[in-house]
Amino acid sequence: MAKSKTCCILVCFVCLLLTAGCWDSKSIEDRGFIVGVALDIADAGENTPLGSNNLALTVQFIVPGGYATSQSSGGSGATPKAYKNITGTGDSVFSIAHQMDTKTSKQPYFEHIKVVLVSEEILKHDELFASIMDVFIREPEMRRGVDVLVTKGEAKKYLAFDAHEGQQIPAIYISKILENTLQSKRTIHPVRLGKMHEYLLGSSSFAVPVASMEKNNIDISGVAVFHGHNNKFIGMMNANETTGLNLVTGNMKYGGVEFKINNRLMNFEILDSKSKLKVDASNPQQVNIQVDIKLEGRIEEMYGDKRLLNENYIAAMEKKFQVKLNPLWRNLS
Amino acid sequence: MHSNIMKNVQHVTERKQLPENPKQLLHTIFLEIISATDVKIAKTIDDLFNDLLYGNTIFLLDGVDMVLNINTAGWEGRQIEEPITEGVIRGPREGFVENLLTNMMLVRRHIRDPNLRFDKHSIGKRSKKYMIVSYVEGIVHPELLQEIKRRLQTIDMDDAPDTGYIEEWLQDSFLSPFPQITNTERPDKVSSALLQGKVAILLDGTPFVLIAPATFGNALQSPEDYYERFVIATFIRLLRYLAAFIAIFMPALYIALLSYQPGMLPTNLTISIAAAREGVPFPPFVEAIMMVITMELLREAGARLPKTIGQTIGIVGGLVIGDAAVSAGIVSPVMVVIIALNAVASFAIPEYSLGISFRIILLGFMIAAGLLGIYGIILAYIMVNIHIVNLKSVGVPYSAPFGPFFKGDWNDLVMRAPLQTINRRPVYMQTKDDKSGNKGE
């Protein structure tokens, strides 16, 4: 009697498993892999739903068939593009993202996002940037390793940019540039979403790399600076100022410094940099900050044929110029 | 028979004086005339039955109530040749044959210790085949031997054509996909098992010898490991463990990652696989099941066909069918690659029975992956793990050096330490004589 009862329960359990299982199963070719997201303020002409925000979200899908053929055929005739951009407008990022469900044949899948581009128009509105970042941080499908960039001009254009470098998909192209910026002094390290989360919650100011479009390529140099307390956009720093920032924060491990000695150019490559900040806040009206920067490197390029014995001290002086370009950006309080 | 008995007896009548008394005559013949080595005097018919059916000659003399039982068994048999299922690259190329005496001789040649015992039993109600239980007294744990003998007493069948029958009677769990008793065709494997304190069972009429008990670590060992140097042997052992992993998990991982968690693949790989799967009509699960079944069919077919055709069918069939299926758009090329890799990996397992059991488990994992993705694989793995840990092989835990952790046995498990350092018998066997070699004397 007991035996048939356990048999019964076992059969019920197996049936449950078979009927309820694989509810989550979606074949890989039915998913649309999203690699890049661009956020803009929508033009006034487009339909403006209720609410004061007017966001335009562009997502970039990968078309796997186009990817395969354009790799193999090498661009003969009318090759299908390897990506597809779809734009939606609305109030909140989440609602726009769900509009995508009805605009494409594949189910959008966000886990492969590589880069999030935010146009500088959005930065002009208070709190909009932080609010936009919120959905990317909360949604479990978005990963913490996604890079965030601020773009000059319309972010949508960056997702349609063909750089003729062999990489068919603009979002992946941009993320590959970001890998190179680890070794750059003209911009800071790429800011990942996880780090962005920390910044938004914390109270120190932070900076996000800025991308600008040139004729043949996308240039990532300079940063956009945000206030620590209210996450408000303060301003942009150009490449030189960012170099100064890197010097002060001790992040300048690569790159070089050009200077002139005896009217000849010399290039000093920096291999290691350390910086020390001393803050004297005894008088709240006038706070003194002393920055000690130590740089280690070697002479990389030299014009002329002078010998190098007693010119090192001149190099130190030249660096001070660099630091002078660095505005007081860290707001201490 | 002819030369030893008939000729001698015929010559006798021409020779010397023979005693008149028939009984004495028989004795004389027994002692002096018949030149066979194994001659016994038997009194009752019961003694004679088995032996007569085994090929002995019975010499009856009129007027005497005793007979001579002469061992003249000698029939055609297979030559000693390389074992078919367990070839090695380096090592002895002798394999067991069907004749029991020859097999005993092969084992005895490896272990010339007087403590090596061969206990004769008779199996099968109607076949009355001879079965030898062999062990080294002084090494083997006495309770183990007792338990095996007890189980052998319970065997109740008509005939045992192969040791597989005896294995099914002896084993602990008949539902488990894992074989709990090793079978082998190689004398060197048997002799090293005997020296480890295990018990070997030889059966007349089959070249496959059973070795009990067996553990999971044994299944992934091959005698070749000991004939090569230890760096090579360790590397190959690790490769075997990797092959076991691939043989069990690969198609299941494919199904789970494609259907449920494509976020776990690198982006480029995801794009390649998605591109390859455009237009394929079946979901990954159905695709995988189809290919696995096709592969199994090919393997079975290859085993039945004669040698030369069998090999070609396996390779050519696999390639051609796979290629044709890909061109027709039924399966994706990635699937063919994965299944081919899987098949190759399962052939790398040295023990054939375990290779088959891995394929059964593979099917289970594929179903679990198809239902619940990676979570399903983990659940199924936990079930298999619990099962292995609970499994016992004649009292010895099946996952012995892994499960109940015996530190001293790990030098011969995943890696093979230099032979100079392996100087103890396996701890999990609890042998009476611990040390091998002359250590400590």
Side-chain angles (χ1 to χ4, degrees):
Chain A
M1 201 59 207
K3 201 170 174 192
S4 86
K5 199 168 171 194
T6 38
C7 260
C8 210
I9 296 181
L10 207 64
V11 167
C12 285
F13 178 68
V14 171
C15 283
L16 228 136
L17 202 65
L18 288 176
T19 50
C22 64
W23 54 271
D24 201 16
S25 153
K26 189 90 187 166
S27 201
I28 199 175
E29 65 267 16
D30 291 337
R31 291 196 204 257
F33 294 100
I34 297 183
V35 272
V37 167
L39 287 155
D40 296 302
I41 299 281
D43 298 336
E46 300 179 19
N47 42 349
T48 56
L50 47 89
S52 50
N53 300 343
N54 198 4
L55 297 171
L57 179 83
T58 310
V59 296
Q60 182 158 80
F61 285 92
I62 293 190
V63 177
Y67 194 74
T69 55
S70 46
Q71 282 205 329
S72 53
S73 65
S76 58
T79 48
K81 275 200 308 197
Y83 63 92
K84 178 175 166 160
N85 291 349
I86 300 186
T87 310
T89 54
D91 251 353
S92 69
V93 175
F94 191 69
S95 60
I96 310 175
H98 274 266
Q99 283 177 25
M100 304 299 167
D101 289 352
T102 53
K103 291 191 184 175
T104 170
S105 67
K106 316 237 184 201
Q107 188 192 47
Y109 191 64
F110 284 89
E111 275 197 37
H112 281 278
I113 285 193
K114 296 260 177 286
V115 68
V116 172
L117 303 165
V118 180
S119 117
E120 59 179 349
E121 297 289 321
I122 293 190
L123 300 184
K124 295 200 176 116
H125 300 247
D126 288 350
E127 287 190 353
L128 195 56
F129 179 71
S131 318
I132 289 180
M133 285 295 111
D134 191 65
V135 72
F136 289 102
I137 295 172
R138 258 181 228 276
E139 168 76 40
E141 245 185 40
M142 314 270 185
R143 294 178 156 174
R144 287 176 76 83
V146 183
D147 293 322
V148 179
L149 274 185
V150 173
T151 64
K152 286 207 165 102
E154 210 180 353
K156 204 159 48 169
K157 294 215 187 76
Y158 286 74
L159 281 185
F161 187 82
D162 184 9
H164 299 285
E165 269 185 28
Q167 176 60 255
Q168 285 96 9
I169 304 175
I172 299 188
Y173 164 69
I174 295 179
S175 73
K176 287 268 160 72
I177 301 185
L178 280 171
E179 280 177 26
N180 286 343
T181 62
L182 284 172
Q183 299 204 357
S184 160
K185 65 174 167 129
R186 296 166 69 227
T187 182
I188 57 174
H189 283 204
V191 175
R192 300 163 81 232
L193 210 57
K195 208 90 176 94
M196 179 67 77
H197 195 183
E198 285 174 35
Y199 285 158
L200 290 175
L201 292 178
S203 56
S204 37
S205 307
F206 60 94
V208 178
V210 170
S212 50
M213 199 185 280
E214 295 173 5
K215 196 161 79 90
N216 269 341
N217 46 269
I218 292 181
D219 187 23
I220 300 186
S221 70
V223 292
V225 184
F226 293 82
H227 198 283
H229 282 187
N230 48 15
N231 294 333
K232 218 165 103 154
F233 175 58
I234 299 179
M236 297 234 194
M237 299 206 294
N238 62 14
N240 280 337
E241 293 163 348
T242 317
T243 315
L245 169 65
N246 279 337
L247 276 172
V248 168
T249 53
N251 272 338
M252 188 140 161
K253 307 263 188 235
Y254 309 94
V257 175
E258 258 184 10
F259 53 91
K260 270 199 162 132
I261 289 186
N262 297 343
N263 276 337
R264 286 204 166 76
L265 267 181
M266 210 188 260
N267 213 333
F268 180 81
E269 183 189 6
I270 298 177
L271 293 172
D272 198 8
S273 89
K274 289 192 190 55
S275 82
K276 273 207 184 87
L277 286 167
K278 280 204 197 83
V279 176
D280 181 13
S282 49
N283 184 356
Q285 305 304 98
Q286 191 175 357
V287 183
N288 277 342
I289 303 177
Q290 183 184 335
V291 183
D292 268 324
I293 300 179
K294 199 163 82 164
L295 290 171
E296 220 176 270
R298 57 176 180 231
I299 304 276
E300 192 63 32
E301 193 177 344
M302 201 176 96
Y303 283 78
D305 51 1
K306 259 324 238 298
R307 294 177 63 195
L308 291 171
L309 284 179
N310 52 1
E311 303 175 279
N312 295 343
Y313 67 98
I314 303 179
M317 273 202 310
E318 297 290 336
K319 288 221 194 45
K320 294 212 172 99
F321 279 174
Q322 208 69 4
V323 181
K324 265 203 211 162
L325 299 168
N326 176 19
L328 264 181
W329 65 277
R330 222 183 243 285
N331 197 351
L332 304 164
S333 55
Chain B
M1 183 187 84
H2 165 80
S3 59
N4 289 351
I5 303 174
M6 300 299 291
K7 247 180 18 173
N8 286 4
V9 171
Q10 277 168 348
H11 280 303
V12 148
T13 49
E14 308 155 14
R15 283 195 315 154
K16 52 178 192 175
Q17 280 293 358
L18 291 170
E20 285 302 323
N21 186 352
K23 210 162 178 174
Q24 277 178 334
L25 181 58
L26 190 68
H27 267 283
T28 319
I29 298 180
F30 170 43
L31 292 172
E32 294 168 23
I33 297 182
I34 295 188
S35 55
T37 47
D38 188 8
V39 190
K40 293 189 285 265
I41 295 201
K43 295 205 166 133
T44 56
I45 286 193
D46 288 337
D47 300 341
L48 298 177
F49 261 149
N50 274 352
D51 291 342
L52 182 61
L53 290 166
Y54 204 67
N56 286 8
T57 307
I58 313 289
F59 188 90
L60 304 106
L61 198 59
D62 201 8
V64 188
D65 63 348
M66 293 187 290
V67 298
L68 296 178
N69 181 355
I70 309 160
N71 185 358
T72 52
W75 43 58
E76 302 291 325
R78 191 162 57 100
Q79 297 267 3
I80 296 181
E81 53 192 21
E82 182 167 7
I84 302 173
T85 53
E86 292 169 55
V88 292
I89 301 177
R90 174 173 175 176
R93 293 193 193 285
E94 280 181 337
F96 287 125
V97 291
E98 280 77 6
N99 191 345
L100 184 62
L101 290 174
T102 317
N103 293 349
M104 281 166 59
M105 176 267 294
L106 284 170
V107 174
R108 178 70 78 176
R109 263 207 320 207
H110 281 270
I111 306 180
R112 300 209 184 111
D113 195 350
N115 286 328
L116 175 65
R117 306 262 182 263
F118 288 114
D119 287 348
K120 209 176 218 186
H121 296 257
S122 179
I123 286 280
K125 211 157 57 96
R126 297 208 178 257
S127 70
K128 294 196 180 49
K129 280 219 177 96
Y130 285 129
M131 184 183 67
I132 303 270
V133 174
S134 115
Y135 53 95
V136 180
E137 186 161 327
I139 298 183
V140 74
H141 192 90
E143 277 182 32
L144 174 69
L145 186 62
Q146 229 174 2
E147 174 64 19
I148 290 186
K149 291 217 164 138
R150 185 192 68 81
R151 290 190 191 188
L152 286 174
Q153 304 295 345
T154 66
I155 294 186
D156 180 22
M157 53 184 158
D158 265 348
D159 179 28
D162 186 75
T163 43
Y165 281 64
I166 302 181
E167 180 180 347
E168 290 217 27
W169 279 91
L170 282 186
Q171 69 185 354
D172 277 60
S173 158
F174 65 98
L175 287 173
S176 164
F178 293 99
Q180 294 123 50
I181 300 184
T182 323
N183 62 323
T184 176
E185 259 189 310
R186 300 183 60 90
D188 51 348
K189 206 162 167 181
V190 170
S191 66
S192 59
L194 287 174
L195 289 173
Q196 282 183 344
K198 305 198 173 152
V199 174
I201 298 175
L202 300 92
L203 183 65
D204 190 26
T206 172
F208 284 94
V209 171
L210 292 179
I211 302 177
T215 62
F216 191 71
N218 282 351
L220 286 167
Q221 288 170 352
S222 149
E224 216 177 352
D225 293 343
Y226 301 92
Y227 303 147
E228 294 283 354
R229 294 160 57 244
F230 96 96
V231 179
I232 302 176
T234 306
F235 169 70
I236 294 192
R237 270 224 184 132
L238 289 173
L239 197 68
R240 250 183 245 138
Y241 275 88
L242 180 67
F245 178 81
I246 293 180
I248 299 180
F249 286 108
M250 189 76 117
L253 269 182
Y254 173 82
I255 297 175
L257 285 177
L258 286 205
S259 307
Y260 291 88
Q261 321 270 12
M264 296 201 69
L265 295 166
T267 311
N268 276 337
L269 184 61
T270 319
I271 304 176
S272 304
I273 296 185
R277 280 191 57 89
E278 287 285 337
V280 171
F282 303 111
F285 177 62
V286 177
E287 220 187 353
I289 294 268
M290 269 180 9
M291 289 303 291
V292 164
I293 292 183
T294 311
M295 200 47 100
E296 293 296 326
L297 282 174
L298 280 168
R299 257 174 23 125
E300 270 305 300
R304 305 275 159 257
L305 291 168
K307 258 308 171 65
T308 42
I309 311 182
Q311 300 250 7
T312 354
I313 286 277
I315 301 173
V316 173
L319 279 174
V320 169
I321 292 187
D323 213 23
V326 168
S327 318
I330 303 181
V331 297
S332 68
V334 185
M335 189 75 237
V336 175
V337 169
I338 289 191
I339 290 293
L341 208 64
N342 187 40
V344 167
S346 70
F347 291 143
I349 314 275
E351 196 174 313
Y352 180 68
S353 338
L354 196 67
I356 299 207
S357 68
F358 278 170
R359 298 187 79 72
I360 299 175
I361 300 178
L362 163 73
L363 276 176
F365 272 104
M366 271 165 54
I367 296 179
L371 286 178
L372 292 170
I374 294 189
Y375 184 55
I377 296 183
I378 303 272
L379 286 180
Y381 171 71
I382 291 180
M383 284 202 282
V384 168
N385 207 348
I386 293 180
H387 170 74
I388 290 186
V389 168
N390 277 334
L391 197 59
K392 279 190 169 24
S393 163
V394 200
V396 171
Y398 193 65
S399 59
F402 294 108
F405 181 71
F406 296 109
K407 191 164 70 108
D409 286 338
W410 271 74
N411 59 359
D412 197 15
L413 190 62
V414 179
M415 48 130 13
R416 209 260 302 163
L419 282 176
Q420 285 86 345
T421 61
I422 304 181
N423 53 6
R424 290 195 64 185
R425 306 193 204 280
V427 178
Y428 63 86
M429 291 300 302
Q430 294 184 9
T431 52
K432 273 158 61 173
D433 172 18
D434 247 2
K435 305 211 181 316
S436 67
N438 281 337
K439 315 286 186 313
E441 266 170 62

